[in-house]
Structures are given as C-alpha cells and as structure tokens.
Amino acid sequence: MPEAASAAATRATIGDSEFDRDTAVTPRAPGVYDLVLSAGWTIINAVNGGYLLAVLGRALGDALPHPDPFTISAHYLTASRPGPAVVRTETVRTGRTLSTGQASLFQYDDEGDEVERIRVLASYGDLGTLPDDVRTSAKPPAIPPLDQCFGPEDGPAPVEGSSAIADRLMLKLDPATLGWALGQPSGRGEMRAWFGLADGRDADPISLLLAVDALPPTAFELGLKGWVPTVELTAHVRCRPAPGPLRVSITTRNLAGGFLEEDAEVWDSADRLVAQSRQLARVRLG
C-alpha cells in the first residue's frame, strides 16, 4: 500500500479542517440550523452535490440520537449556490439501533422568496456497534500506486470541469480513466481515483458522503462534456474508514434519454468497502 498523501507535512485532524468548518451548522432552534455554503466546494459555478450531502448529514447527525449515517437519500430540487442557507430537520422515528429523520436545505432567491434546494431522508445508527462479520464478493478496485496516478496539478492547465473544489481535494486519477482529459475518451463510463482531503484530514462517515460524489463524472469518459447535475443520490456508509487515502471507483452502465446512473464504491486503506452509492444524473447530449 503506497504511503498516504500523509505526505502532508501537517495533517488536519477531524474538527479543525477546512471541510469541518465549511460543513458546520449552527443550531437556531430545535431542528433548525443556519449555515453558509462555501464557494470553496464549487465545480465551475455549481456547489458540489457530495459537499451538500455532507452538510445535511452533519445537521441530521446533530438532530438525531444516533451519530452515524447508515443510509441517506437526497433529491436535488434546485441548484444551490454559495452563501447563507438554512436546514430544517424532522425526526421521523427513533428506535434502539436506528433513528430516521428527514431534512431540507433552503436558500432565498433573488426576489427574496425561500426556495428548497435539497430534501433528504436518512437512517442513522452507531457504526462502532456493528459486528465484525463480513461476507462479500466485492474486491477493491485495481488502481496504480499514488505516484503513478494524476491530479489536476499534474496537467499543463486545470483539468476541464474542475474548479475551486480541486484545491480542497487530494485527487489522483487512474491513467486508464483519463482519456477524456487528453481528448480520447475510452467510452467505458469508468472513473477511478485515490481520494482524500488536501489538508490531510482522515476520512470519517460524514466525509464519505463527499467522497461518493467528488470525482469527475463518468460522462466524460463516455465522450460527453459539460455539467452533469445530480437528480437523486443514495449513499450507504458501511463502516468507519481506517486512516489513509481512500480508493473510489465509479461506473456507468446505462445512458438513456439524457440520464445516466453512477454506481460508486469507496474502499479504505485496510481494503474494506466503507461506502457505496448510486445516483441518477442528467447529461447534455449533442
């Protein structure tokens, strides 16, 4: 296993990293949280969907009696933008091992009207109480070592489609999924990469919600360009990740009617499948 981008001279710990500051929510009233969506997590002008999911996941983690997201499903209703927002949560059910809640993120439009941006339904539990028994046929993705993969900083110009978020991630893409960046997309609908936060902060269940939606879209390797907005995203967090960089694999098998699915797997440095997701996204054809 290659050395983590633990290469960072100073590692941020959970709680003091930029990611934690930018996903922080401030309770205003029971179930109501104020926040500011940071421009640092945008792709072109769009706020990244994984970052938004992490913000809502943070609010639900405060509102519900259990600490960790087990499953969270989000419908992206309107495009979020950097700036003030409010999250309203509701506890749907509380049980001994799982609690279920819903949350919505709102912003104001140019006319001063409140607009709902995202609505989620989630079940939370305690990952630390799960049994160790694992029976799986899943295998970690075959990705070359970190020093044989490439990030935005390795190109002569910023990678197309990247923006402010690229400065906040340690993202090293498998060369086999980089044909799109060279004008030679493979057509296979695959994207694989080493993933971490640029300040060296180790992953936790909330940052896994970012990881499932932080790679360039598989549409690029299908020869398509432009924004690929998420319509719906469901993430499953399976266990707390071990320290070190993550490996993320995303595949698309079907593009039809201007929509495609992306199936993501996230693996930790201990070769454990720590998160999975599926999303439906819209693509621009032609």
Side-chain angles (χ1 to χ4, degrees):
M1 185 70 58
E3 287 188 11
S6 53
T10 304
R11 297 190 65 90
T13 58
I14 292 174
D16 69 359
S17 79
E18 186 174 29
F19 174 76
D20 296 301
R21 294 192 297 272
D22 289 347
T23 57
V25 295
T26 301
R28 181 205 304 175
V32 181
Y33 300 86
D34 292 313
L35 61 135
V36 176
L37 295 178
S38 170
W41 302 88
T42 54
I43 302 171
I44 306 303
N45 294 317
V47 181
N48 172 259
Y51 164 70
L52 293 169
L53 194 62
V55 168
L56 286 155
R58 181 87 67 197
L60 279 168
D62 183 82
L64 295 173
H66 292 94
D68 301 316
F70 277 27
T71 177
I72 181 167
S73 296
H75 285 263
Y76 293 78
L77 307 176
T78 55
S80 300
R81 56 192 183 188
V86 61
V87 172
R88 297 193 179 97
T89 67
E90 177 186 346
T91 299
V92 176
R93 179 184 180 275
T94 298
R96 187 175 62 180
T97 59
L98 286 176
S99 53
T100 300
Q102 61 184 11
S104 291
L105 184 145
F106 298 87
Q107 290 185 303
Y108 288 98
D109 64 16
D110 294 336
E111 284 71 47
D113 297 321
E114 193 173 71
V115 178
E116 186 175 8
R117 303 297 195 194
I118 313 167
R119 184 177 298 188
V120 308
L121 182 68
S123 290
Y124 274 56
D126 186 345
L127 291 168
T129 65
L130 297 183
D132 294 330
D133 184 37
V134 176
R135 310 179 195 191
T136 182
S137 60
K139 296 181 180 179
I143 301 179
L146 262 169
D147 60 5
Q148 295 177 26
C149 294
F150 300 93
E153 70 281 3
D154 297 312
V159 174
E160 180 183 353
S162 69
S163 193
I165 192 173
D167 295 331
R168 281 144 191 87
L169 302 179
M170 187 288 295
L171 195 63
K172 293 288 187 177
L173 293 163
D174 183 340
T177 66
L178 262 178
W180 58 275
L182 304 173
Q184 300 174 336
S186 68
R188 290 192 294 269
E190 298 175 347
M191 203 67 65
R192 293 183 297 274
W194 292 95
F195 174 87
L197 294 169
D199 60 13
R201 174 205 191 273
D202 282 317
D204 70 346
I206 294 297
S207 69
L208 291 176
L209 302 179
L210 167 69
V212 298
D213 192 44
L215 271 59
T218 55
F220 289 1
E221 272 295 84
L222 293 173
L224 301 173
K225 297 181 180 179
W227 189 33
V228 184
T230 301
V231 176
E232 184 271 345
L233 170 61
T234 295
H236 298 163
V237 178
R238 308 306 300 269
C239 62
R240 291 179 183 150
L246 303 169
R247 285 159 290 171
V248 183
S249 173
I250 303 179
T251 58
T252 291
R253 296 191 303 163
N254 191 57
L255 187 161
F259 292 86
L260 56 76
E261 88 288 344
E262 286 192 338
D263 291 314
E265 292 185 351
V266 183
W267 294 77
D268 71 2
S269 59
D271 285 345
R272 298 179 305 166
L273 181 61
V274 294
Q276 300 164 278
S277 73
R278 165 166 282 198
Q279 70 170 280
L280 182 71
R282 184 191 296 270
V283 296
R284 182 180 300 167
L285 301 174

